[in-house]
């Protein structure tokens, strides 16, 4: 795998990288458009790697993954998902790090985590063990599948967790309209073929969305042939019809695709719209910088003037600008940090900021050790233009000094007050005779 070349100008921190696998490999490329058909509806055992092209461990795994795929050809399916590109698919299966390997066996909706080694032999051994377990389950009469079923007369019922909420004429207002949560509601008819096709997608999406949004976005279903009052209220004429409900707003029609990936992606967008902006943190220690930047694709860092130069009001005006921009770009899930000029000199030096030009701002990609500097004004307009350029793949970047994160000092947090000059020690000269000084001279 060869990274795309880029120049000093016209490149982005969010660099495109070639995929780790190609059509000539025995590894099957999986995307939201084919995942359901290839994996979920398949009777085969699948090993699926969720990777990111920029991930070093993923690049190291790729040769062994290809070798294992060739060895298992015709026995076990081996696939790969670029979860950096297809975030909804990775999010659906709770992928938090790369590479993550899942085994899709008897119950395709509940894959198991692969815990084995990363050599081709270890992968093949793990696949064969999983295959033996699958055969044993089939011999014993056990099988997997979705828990969510649409019944002929009682609406939709979930499994043990009931992640698809059954909605009725009696509970709809209380559950949906009075809720602070966002709802995606499917109106269905039990005899509807399209509804039956949607059923496993809706159920799988409900579970994933519940986990990803901590229950802040919920999926429900109304049997419109039974609960005709609520269905009539919203003018339901065809099936399935999906509507989005947000508190205090008129419901809107869902216009997206009908795969679980499409549904999850829309639900996460809705969640982002209603989620609070990321927290703006002062860099008080190495842990603050490390956690914020490693958990985010980009880390936006401001170096603000010393408190003696701006006072509390001036500093707060800069912080207010940052908070507004964090809100504007919250869907990006970037980290937002600030420090006072002179507090983290090594960081300033590595960014080429040190000693002048405050306030300053940099966007850092810690995975690539690349950064870009704000060249325009430290204002909503200037910062928006800076971040917009990065978002669309433009803007100049440089390598972080030394190619490593600089040393971060532990400092006390700002107390929110104006700064004060150091108090000089007073000397009592009342008992000193001036003649004594003349004699010494």
């Amino acid at each position: 795998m060869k990274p795309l070349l880029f120049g000093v100008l016209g490149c982005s921190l969010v660099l495109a990288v070639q995929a780790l696998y190609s059509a000539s490999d025995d590894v099957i490329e999986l995307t939201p458009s084919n995942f359901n058909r290839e994996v979920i509806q398949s009777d085969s055992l699948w090993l699926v790697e969720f990777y990111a092209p920029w991930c070093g461990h993923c690049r190291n795994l790729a040769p062994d993954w290809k070798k294992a795929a060739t060895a298992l050809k015709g026995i076990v399916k081996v696939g790969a998902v670029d979860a950096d590109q297809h975030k909804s698919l990775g999010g659906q299966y709770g992928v938090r790090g790369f590479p993550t390997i899942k085994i899709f066996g008897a119950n395709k909706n509940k894959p198991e985590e692969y815990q084995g080694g990363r050599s081709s032999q270890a992968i093949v051994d793990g696949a064969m063990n999983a295959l033996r377990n699958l055969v044993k389950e089939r011999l014993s009469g056990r099988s997997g599948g979705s828990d969510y079923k649409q019944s002929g007369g009682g609406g939709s019922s979930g499994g043990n967790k009931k992640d698809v909420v059954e909605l009725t004429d009696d509970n709809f207002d209380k559950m949906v309209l009075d809720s602070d949560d966002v709802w995606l509601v499917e109106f269905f008819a039990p005899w509807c073929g399209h509804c039956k096709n949607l059923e496993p997608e809706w159920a799988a999406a409900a579970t994933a969305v519940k986990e990803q949004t901590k229950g802040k976005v919920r999926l429900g279903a109304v049997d419109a042939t039974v609960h005709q009052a609520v269905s009539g209220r919203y003018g339901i004429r065809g099936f399935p019809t999906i509507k989005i409900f947000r508190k205090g707003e008129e419901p809107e029609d869902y216009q997206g695709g009908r795969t679980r990936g499409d549904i999850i992606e829309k639900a996460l967008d809705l969640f982002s719209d209603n989620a609070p902006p990321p927290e703006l943190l002062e860099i008080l220690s190495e842990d603050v910088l490390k956690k914020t930047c490693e958990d985010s694709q980009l880390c936006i860092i401001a170096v603000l003037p010393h408190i003696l130069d701006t006072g509390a009001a001036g500093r707060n005006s800069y912080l207010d600008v940052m908070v507004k921009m964090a809100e504007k770009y919250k869907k990006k899930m970037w980290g937002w940090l600030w420090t006072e000029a002179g507090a983290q000199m090594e960081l300033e030096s590595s960014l080429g900021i040190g000693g002048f030009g405050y306030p300053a701002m940099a966007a850092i990609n810690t995975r690539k050790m690349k950064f870009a500097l704000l060249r325009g004004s430290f204002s909503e307009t200037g910062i928006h233009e800076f971040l917009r350029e990065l978002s669309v793949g433009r803007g100049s970047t440089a390598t972080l000094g030394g190619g490593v994160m600089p040393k971060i000092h532990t400092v006390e947090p700002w107390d929110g007050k104006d700064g004060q000059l150091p108090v000089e020690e007073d000397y009592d000269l009342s008992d000193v005779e001036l003649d004594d000084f003349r004699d010494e001279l």
Side-chain angles (χ1 to χ4, degrees):
M1 191 279 297
K2 297 180 180 179
L4 294 176
L5 299 177
F6 62 98
V8 174
L9 293 176
C11 59
S12 166
L13 292 178
V14 193
L15 295 174
V17 183
Q18 290 179 347
L20 298 185
Y21 306 101
S22 67
S24 62
D25 301 322
D26 291 316
V27 177
I28 300 170
E29 183 181 0
L30 298 168
T31 67
S33 63
N34 71 359
F35 196 89
N36 183 56
R37 181 181 70 253
E38 293 284 354
V39 180
I40 303 302
Q41 295 179 3
S42 168
D43 290 329
S44 300
L45 178 77
W46 277 83
L47 264 67
V48 178
E49 175 202 4
F50 294 84
Y51 73 92
W54 46 257
C55 160
H57 293 300
C58 303
R59 292 196 294 269
N60 293 336
L61 174 63
D64 285 287
W65 196 247
K66 294 176 186 178
K67 190 174 179 181
T70 300
L72 293 166
K73 189 173 182 179
I75 304 169
V76 173
K77 298 286 187 71
V78 178
V81 175
D82 182 346
D84 192 45
Q85 179 181 357
H86 306 298
K87 292 182 174 62
S88 63
L89 198 50
Q92 178 179 336
Y93 294 104
V95 173
R96 294 288 184 272
F98 305 115
T100 292
I101 300 173
K102 301 271 187 181
I103 301 173
F104 290 78
N107 187 345
K108 294 294 196 298
N109 291 322
K110 294 182 180 179
E112 300 174 9
E113 197 89 13
Y114 171 76
Q115 303 288 358
R118 299 299 171 89
S119 68
S120 58
Q121 185 61 58
I123 295 166
V124 169
D125 290 343
M128 296 309 294
N129 286 334
L131 187 60
R132 279 191 288 270
N133 291 335
L134 176 60
V135 172
K136 287 179 181 178
E137 287 188 19
R138 288 178 178 175
L139 283 172
S140 67
R142 288 181 293 159
S143 63
S146 171
D147 292 322
Y148 167 47
K149 300 294 180 185
Q150 294 180 358
S151 61
S156 65
S157 60
N160 293 332
K161 294 183 179 179
K162 293 188 177 180
D163 294 327
V164 176
V165 181
E166 181 181 355
L167 298 169
T168 68
D169 285 339
D170 294 331
N171 70 8
F172 191 91
D173 287 5
K174 181 178 180 181
M175 294 289 293
V176 178
L177 302 186
D178 296 340
S179 172
D180 291 326
D181 302 328
V182 179
W183 282 81
L184 278 78
V185 179
E186 174 204 2
F187 294 84
F188 72 93
W191 44 259
C192 160
H194 292 301
C195 303
K196 293 176 182 177
N197 292 336
L198 176 63
E199 176 188 319
E201 304 301 304
W202 198 248
T207 299
V209 168
K210 181 179 180 181
E211 293 174 355
Q212 294 294 305
T213 69
K214 301 295 187 289
K216 295 299 183 182
V217 179
R218 308 181 72 181
L219 270 65
V222 176
D223 184 343
T225 65
V226 175
H227 305 290
Q228 296 181 14
V230 69
S231 301
R233 184 196 309 174
Y234 297 109
I236 305 303
R237 295 290 182 269
F239 307 112
T241 292
I242 302 173
K243 287 188 176 287
I244 300 167
F245 292 84
R246 285 178 276 205
K247 190 171 185 178
E249 299 181 20
E250 287 296 314
E252 62 181 277
D253 290 332
Y254 170 80
Q255 303 288 359
R258 299 298 172 91
T259 69
R260 62 194 69 189
D262 294 326
I263 298 163
I264 292 168
E265 185 174 9
K266 179 61 176 179
L268 293 180
D269 281 344
L270 292 168
F271 175 65
S272 297
D273 288 341
N274 293 300
E279 189 176 5
L280 174 59
L281 300 173
E282 183 179 3
I283 303 175
L284 302 176
S285 66
E286 183 178 359
D287 287 343
V288 173
L289 179 72
K290 187 175 181 180
K291 185 176 189 312
T292 303
C293 292
E294 287 187 354
D295 288 349
S296 309
Q297 188 177 29
L298 286 185
C299 206
I300 313 301
I301 299 178
V303 182
L304 303 182
H306 194 280
I307 190 65
L308 292 175
D309 295 328
T310 63
R315 174 167 291 181
N316 282 325
S317 68
Y318 290 132
L319 294 176
D320 286 343
V321 170
M322 291 193 71
V323 168
K324 289 178 182 177
M325 299 315 297
E327 166 71 34
K328 188 177 188 70
Y329 284 89
K330 66 180 180 179
K331 286 187 179 182
K332 299 290 187 182
M333 303 301 287
W334 292 339
W336 293 77
L337 298 168
W338 71 276
T339 185
E340 179 179 78
Q344 304 293 348
M345 288 304 297
E346 287 88 344
L347 176 61
E348 291 187 42
S349 177
S350 69
L351 297 172
I353 294 174
F356 65 93
Y358 306 116
M361 175 175 284
I364 301 177
N365 184 325
T366 57
R367 294 164 182 156
K368 296 182 175 69
M369 287 298 160
K370 296 283 184 180
F371 74 93
L373 285 177
L374 169 68
R375 302 296 183 185
S377 65
F378 197 100
S379 63
E380 289 183 49
T381 302
I383 295 173
H384 170 61
E385 181 64 20
F386 170 58
L387 298 179
R388 189 184 67 81
E389 290 286 296
L390 293 177
S391 297
V392 298
R394 294 196 294 268
S396 62
T397 65
T399 301
L400 202 64
V404 295
M405 290 301 290
K407 180 181 178 181
I408 299 298
H409 299 278
T410 299
V411 297
E412 292 296 318
W414 178 44
D415 60 8
K417 300 177 182 178
D418 288 324
Q420 293 185 351
L421 290 169
V423 179
E424 296 183 359
E425 186 176 352
D426 293 329
Y427 293 94
D428 185 1
L429 301 178
S430 60
D431 295 331
V432 178
E433 296 290 340
L434 292 179
D435 288 342
D436 293 340
F437 286 103
R438 294 192 190 97
D439 294 340
E440 291 178 7
L441 296 173

